[in-house]
Amino acid sequence: MSDPGPTSAFEQDAQLAPIMAHPLQRQVFVCTSKSCAANGSEAVLEAFKAQLIEAGLLYTKRNPDGEVQCLHCGSVGFCAIGPAVLVYPDGIWYAHVTVEDVPEIIECHLKGGVPVERLVRKRMGA
Amino acid sequence: MSDPGPTSAFEQDAQLAPIMAHPLQRQVFVCTSKSCAANGSEAVLEAFKAQLIEAGLLYTKRNPDGEVQCLHCGSVGFCAIGPAVLVYPDGIWYAHVTVEDVPEIIECHLKGGVPVERLVRKRMGA
């Protein structure tokens, strides 16, 4: 067998972190810092994860075809208008997100590509 | 005095969350989940915050003119190649970020707009 030669650091990393090559479409960040958490953001995060799993959309080790990643994050300055939810690369910041809003955000925005305007309070990179 | 009339929910929120109207340029997310934390990501997060404060760039309540927000986040799937650092709205995902890399990322990317290519392992929305 011929020597395949040294692999690059990039190629080695791609084997260690398959998400590097994955066509991930979006990341949903849910603030779980003090004020948002006091307003139920942990339940919002869990609702997103559960419903995205149900829809086959959540990227996990068990579902590496999922198009959406969902994760907690620190305070974004929406402390008085939380829970805050950010969707990237779209750059959409939502406020006042409740568990009841999660199906609409998934259906309209994450599946349909159209943000839920009544909850949008900031746009990054626009 | 005349009645100024009812303000919209959007206007009320803008008073409660001044960042809504702020021309924030970038958000830096540092993964502080298990594997990244075990590889020093908390120190990377603190280095970003300290050096961005020093440069007058960090958005905080005390520096509401800051152009950059810096916050922790959950796992992005770079567990084996962390610490992971994400910069949005650019959509740049860095791997293997150490405290020593922070000044270069601030200077080249956050000030200069040019990502530090040797550390880039994924691009979202490209």
Side-chain angles (χ1 to χ4, degrees), chain B residues 52-104:
Chain B
L52 286 169
I53 286 173
E54 183 77 18
L57 287 175
L58 192 69
Y59 178 91
T60 63
K61 285 179 182 171
R62 292 172 63 181
N63 184 32
D65 291 329
E67 295 178 2
V68 180
Q69 212 181 45
C70 189
L71 52 164
H72 70 267
C73 72
S75 175
V76 302
F78 273 16
C79 313
I81 61 172
V85 173
L86 280 53
V87 180
Y88 278 116
D90 313 53
I92 295 292
W93 293 28
Y94 291 115
H96 307 294
V97 179
T98 66
V99 168
E100 288 69 35
D101 297 316
V102 172
E104 186 179 357

Side-chain angles (χ1 to χ4, degrees), chain B:
Chain B
M1 278 172 56
S2 63
D3 185 345
T7 52
S8 70
F10 191 94
E11 287 164 347
Q12 287 172 22
D13 284 353
Q15 289 178 348
L16 293 169
I19 198 170
M20 273 178 57
H22 180 71
L24 193 71
Q25 295 301 300
R26 290 188 173 88
Q27 285 188 300
V28 176
F29 295 91
V30 179
C31 175
T32 54
S33 282
K34 201 172 171 185
S35 301
C36 284
N39 278 312
S41 68
E42 293 279 5
V44 170
L45 177 62
E46 293 313 311
F48 267 113
K49 286 183 177 173
Q51 292 175 41
L52 286 169
I53 286 173
E54 183 77 18
L57 287 175
L58 192 69
Y59 178 91
T60 63
K61 285 179 182 171
R62 292 172 63 181
N63 184 32
D65 291 329
E67 295 178 2
V68 180
Q69 212 181 45
C70 189
L71 52 164
H72 70 267
C73 72
S75 175
V76 302
F78 273 16
C79 313
I81 61 172
V85 173
L86 280 53
V87 180
Y88 278 116
D90 313 53
I92 295 292
W93 293 28
Y94 291 115
H96 307 294
V97 179
T98 66
V99 168
E100 288 69 35
D101 297 316
V102 172
E104 186 179 357
I105 293 174
I106 291 175
E107 198 62 31
C108 296
H109 190 169
L110 305 181
K111 289 186 181 175
V114 180
V116 178
E117 290 298 335
R118 67 185 173 81
L119 299 172
V120 176
R121 291 296 182 275
K122 189 172 180 68
R123 294 170 195 273
M124 284 286 284

